Amino acid sequence: MEKIKLNETPVRTSRNFRINNIKLENIWIPEEIKEFKNIKILNENSKLEIIDKTSDINLTYGLNEIFTKQVENSANNNTQLIVNSKTNKETQIEFNFDELSDVLVEDIEIVANEDTKATIIIKYNSSNNIKAFHNGIIRTKAKPGSNINIIIVNLLNNNSDNFIAIQNVLEENAKVNYSIIDFGGKHSITNYYSNLIGEKSENNLNSIYLGSEEQIFDLNYIGELRGVQSNIKIEVQGALKDYAKKHFKGTIDFKKGCKKAKGYENEACMLLSDTAKSLALPMLLCSEEDVEGNHSSSAGKIGAKELFYIMSRGFKFKEAMKLLVRAKFNKILKNIQNEELRQTILKEIDKKI
């Protein structure tokens, strides 16, 4: 089968980096999209309207035309969430994959009206013995003064494929906090784009990935700052074991007119085996003066001194590794206020390590 090229960086770099895009072959892209029945909505609130429709899709980036067109033409879940609450209320949507519902092609649109607040959790689970396919687009429009927390939890099995494109538009004084827990999928490919058009708009992206066996993660996070005093912060923590691979591409682009804007990105990867591989490309682009940008990236094995110290306190090797990974991930997990969900994530960390 011909290779599929997707998740292009907004600016091409040297071919030697081998990170401008990812090329996948033998990918199953289903043509027959059946009804997806296993959807559960928890804590549905009257102040959050859930409508079975969305507006036209118009992505600035996305994964590639093939995946975008599939959502446009064949989605088996179209959901619009309209936030009207002035107080922070939580709604959780679960998609549970099994033998009868193994393909999900979704378009989720979140519209946060002026001065509203909400926490929206979107969770993907799968049975251990199936090969699932997920291709999703999530779009958020944050109107002036809105404050929205969005948590995406990918707990698909390692036989499945996970493709997701996220796009945010932030208006004046809007704040969007994203937490992405990315553990599942033989291939897990994410394109994240935020357009901060409003003055003093703020976007925080906190992400965790944990790879095992032969999983491949390709993370393309893009933030474009246009509003005066707009602010984006990207914090990514990850760990890889066995033969898992990760490509991280983080781009913060200061556009003309974003004076006094701030951008920060950091990505750190723990290598838990000699065969795991990590590539990273943090980029800062700038067309404006009087802005502040910082970026960093690191990858390395867990230090022998740290392991020895913990094991000297009576912990076995694997237990010591779990503690160190948990400690690294904790700075992101603490942003998740739902205790049950946080415990589920911690159990999954222990299971994969």
Side-chain angles (χ1 to χ4, degrees):
M1 181 179 177
E2 185 179 349
K3 288 185 178 180
I4 297 175
K5 183 169 67 174
L6 63 164
N7 224 10
E8 295 268 3
T9 54
V11 175
R12 292 190 66 81
T13 63
S14 171
R15 289 184 180 180
N16 294 334
F17 291 148
R18 296 174 296 167
I19 203 170
N20 288 315
N21 51 55
I22 186 169
K23 296 177 182 179
L24 302 176
E25 58 184 344
N26 299 322
I27 297 297
W28 173 51
I29 301 179
E31 296 181 0
E32 181 183 358
I33 313 297
K34 300 179 294 184
E35 181 183 1
F36 193 94
K37 297 181 179 180
N38 295 340
I39 304 173
K40 184 187 297 184
I41 300 176
L42 306 174
N43 302 326
E44 185 175 351
N45 297 294
S46 60
K47 293 293 185 180
L48 181 68
E49 296 179 42
I50 303 178
I51 303 171
D52 186 22
K53 69 173 185 178
T54 58
S55 62
D56 293 338
I57 296 173
N58 184 20
L59 295 184
T60 302
Y61 292 103
L63 293 170
N64 74 1
E65 186 176 0
I66 294 173
F67 287 91
T68 301
K69 288 295 184 183
Q70 186 186 49
V71 175
E72 288 179 336
N73 299 330
S74 306
N76 56 1
N77 180 69
N78 295 280
T79 303
Q80 186 181 63
L81 309 175
I82 302 176
V83 181
N84 293 311
S85 177
K86 302 298 183 180
T87 58
N88 189 0
K89 296 184 178 181
E90 179 184 293
T91 297
Q92 183 168 330
I93 304 174
E94 287 189 5
F95 297 94
N96 297 298
F97 293 76
D98 60 18
E99 290 82 359
L100 298 178
S101 294
D102 60 348
V103 174
L104 174 63
V105 179
E106 64 175 345
D107 177 22
I108 295 178
E109 183 181 23
I110 301 169
V111 180
N113 285 323
E114 191 168 346
D115 295 323
T116 57
K117 298 179 180 180
T119 294
I120 299 168
I121 300 170
I122 304 171
K123 186 180 176 186
Y124 305 96
N125 301 303
S126 66
S127 303
N128 290 330
N129 59 344
I130 69 163
K131 178 179 174 61
F133 175 88
H134 171 232
N135 175 21
I137 292 176
I138 300 175
R139 295 170 291 145
T140 300
K141 184 173 183 179
K143 296 185 179 181
S146 58
N147 189 334
I148 305 300
N149 303 304
I150 301 171
I151 302 169
I152 298 178
V153 183
N154 164 25
L155 300 181
L156 298 178
N157 63 43
N158 286 8
N159 297 320
S160 302
D161 284 328
N162 178 58
F163 301 95
I164 189 165
I166 298 167
Q167 178 164 294
N168 308 307
V169 178
L170 287 77
E171 298 183 4
E172 182 181 357
N173 288 309
K175 183 175 182 180
V176 175
N177 301 310
Y178 246 96
S179 297
I180 301 177
I181 312 302
D182 197 1
F183 290 173
K186 181 178 181 180
H187 305 97
S188 187
I189 317 299
T190 303
N191 184 280
Y192 179 98
Y193 168 63
S194 274
N195 187 6
L196 290 87
I197 62 175
E199 182 177 349
K200 296 184 179 179
S201 55
E202 181 180 344
N203 181 212
N204 296 300
L205 169 58
N206 294 287
S207 177
I208 293 173
Y209 61 86
L210 177 55
S212 62
E213 299 176 354
E214 296 182 347
Q215 285 184 276
I216 296 174
F217 295 88
D218 192 86
L219 315 175
N220 192 3
Y221 296 162
I222 305 162
E224 294 181 346
L225 297 98
R226 291 182 167 84
V228 175
Q229 290 185 278
S230 53
N231 183 8
I232 188 168
K233 182 177 181 181
I234 300 172
E235 179 69 40
V236 184
Q237 295 287 332
L240 302 172
K241 60 177 289 193
D242 304 325
Y243 292 88
K245 298 179 182 179
K246 174 234 60 183
H247 302 155
F248 169 76
K249 298 164 279 191
T251 305
I252 296 177
D253 192 352
F254 295 94
K255 297 293 188 179
K256 196 70 178 175
C258 71
K259 286 186 179 296
K260 298 189 182 299
K262 294 182 180 181
Y264 168 89
E265 62 176 321
N266 173 60
E267 190 266 341
C269 178
M270 291 177 286
L271 300 174
L272 308 181
S273 71
D274 293 332
T275 48
K277 294 184 179 180
S278 169
L279 287 176
L281 178 67
M283 291 193 292
L284 293 177
L285 308 175
C286 189
S287 304
E288 183 56 273
E289 299 177 352
D290 193 17
V291 297
E292 181 181 330
N294 296 280
H295 66 87
S296 61
S297 179
S298 63
K301 295 181 180 180
I302 291 178
K305 290 183 179 179
E306 290 90 341
L307 279 173
F308 176 78
Y309 177 83
I310 295 174
M311 292 173 68
S312 69
R313 266 52 181 176
F315 292 94
K316 295 181 180 179
F317 177 75
K318 285 189 176 181
E319 293 173 333
M321 287 183 64
K322 289 177 185 177
L323 287 173
L324 288 170
V325 171
R326 278 189 175 208
K328 287 287 187 180
F329 288 179
N330 187 58
K331 65 170 66 176
I332 291 175
L333 291 177
K334 69 181 181 181
N335 295 315
I336 298 176
Q337 301 300 314
N338 186 308
E339 181 61 26
E340 182 179 352
L341 179 61
R342 189 163 60 246
Q343 290 302 316
T344 297
I345 295 168
L346 290 172
K347 287 179 182 177
E348 191 67 20
I349 293 171
D350 291 346
K351 178 182 174 182
K352 287 183 74 77
I353 295 178

